[in-house]
Amino acid sequence: MPAMAKLGTTDADIRSALHAKRLRRAKSHPGTLVIDELGLAHARSRIDVAVINGCIHGYEIKSAKDNLDRFATQIEIYRQTLQKLTLVAAPKHVLGIINQAPEWCGLIAAEQGPRGGINFQVLRNAVANPEIDPVMMAHLLWRDEVIELLEHAGYARKELRQPRKRLYVMLCEAMTLREITASIRGFMAQRRTWRDRPARASCDG
């Protein structure tokens, strides 16, 4: 067996193959955003890859070099903030993920072939997350974006001098989950500079 295969997969190996093989169609669609290292819940966690169109679908990578020590904590945030979640994992992690991840999560095994390439096998397709917390998902919007949406919904400026957390609650009272998702995609598409700034800039409010 070549030395490359013996080393086991890394996050970079799987991420590169995921973009090239699994997400190529999504990336070609003009109405879809594909974002690496998207901050969630104001930097409490990150999802390795996020696909944002009609819903927010996160892809979390667990390579052969990773462990599942933080997995339970990650899942707790993902279940609040992502409408779909797919785990992309080295074979060594498949059983542990099945035992810990909710049934609505998708699971793809990512195994390194004899020539070093990554082969994917879909073990379970992701379905809609029934546990989503719209308020936590809305944290993907920056404060000025939330204020803009609330103004369009009819709120007066003086009503918007509230703590950020309260503004997110107000937004979820004024808009449906579908409308909030569309707004997140729209505002992220307008952010011209944040991709080139430190990753935490994607979740500042």
Side-chain angles (χ1 to χ4, degrees):
M1 181 180 294
M4 183 184 299
K6 290 181 180 179
L7 295 175
T9 55
T10 65
D11 179 286
D13 295 331
I14 296 176
R15 186 189 301 263
S16 178
L18 183 66
H19 277 286
K21 296 181 178 181
R22 302 289 308 179
L23 302 180
R24 182 165 51 185
R25 179 177 296 180
K27 292 169 74 173
S28 69
H29 195 285
T32 298
L33 295 178
V34 179
I35 302 170
D36 284 302
E37 299 294 335
L38 180 65
L40 304 172
H42 292 293
R44 285 171 54 202
S45 187
R46 298 187 185 283
I47 189 71
D48 286 314
V49 184
V51 177
I52 305 174
N53 44 38
C55 80
I56 299 173
H57 189 159
Y59 290 80
E60 175 64 22
I61 297 169
K62 295 298 180 186
S63 74
K65 301 292 186 182
D66 294 325
N67 59 55
L68 299 182
D69 292 351
R70 297 185 302 116
F71 188 60
T73 301
Q74 290 175 311
I75 284 291
E76 196 56 36
I77 293 177
Y78 296 161
R79 75 166 76 231
Q80 296 177 64
T81 56
L82 298 171
Q83 290 164 297
K84 285 187 178 181
L85 173 64
T86 295
L87 292 311
V88 186
K92 63 182 276 188
H93 296 309
V94 166
L95 183 58
I97 287 172
I98 288 174
N99 289 336
Q100 295 186 60
E103 292 186 359
W104 51 265
C105 297
L107 179 58
I108 297 175
E111 188 166 13
Q112 194 172 45
R115 296 184 180 181
I118 304 296
N119 299 315
F120 294 116
Q121 180 184 3
V122 178
L123 303 179
R124 188 167 71 192
N125 287 312
V127 297
N129 171 12
E131 305 171 70
I132 187 77
D133 182 339
V135 174
M136 291 303 298
M137 193 187 78
H139 279 54
L140 287 168
L141 292 164
W142 296 347
R143 181 186 178 92
D144 60 342
E145 294 167 347
V146 175
I147 288 174
E148 180 179 332
L149 291 171
L150 288 172
E151 286 181 325
H152 288 164
Y155 284 85
R157 246 315 166 168
K158 64 180 181 180
E159 297 179 272
L160 304 179
R161 297 169 188 159
Q162 303 277 348
R164 185 172 58 185
K165 290 183 178 179
R166 175 59 189 156
L167 293 177
Y168 289 128
V169 173
M170 291 164 62
L171 184 69
C172 292
E173 292 171 348
M175 298 176 66
T176 66
L177 187 63
R178 182 181 292 274
E179 290 170 337
I180 293 171
T181 301
S183 297
I184 289 170
R185 196 215 66 80
F187 278 117
M188 285 189 172
Q190 294 173 22
R191 296 175 189 173
R192 300 300 184 187
T193 60
W194 70 278
R195 294 170 200 266
D196 300 321
R197 294 159 60 192
R200 68 181 298 277
S202 68
C203 53
D204 286 344

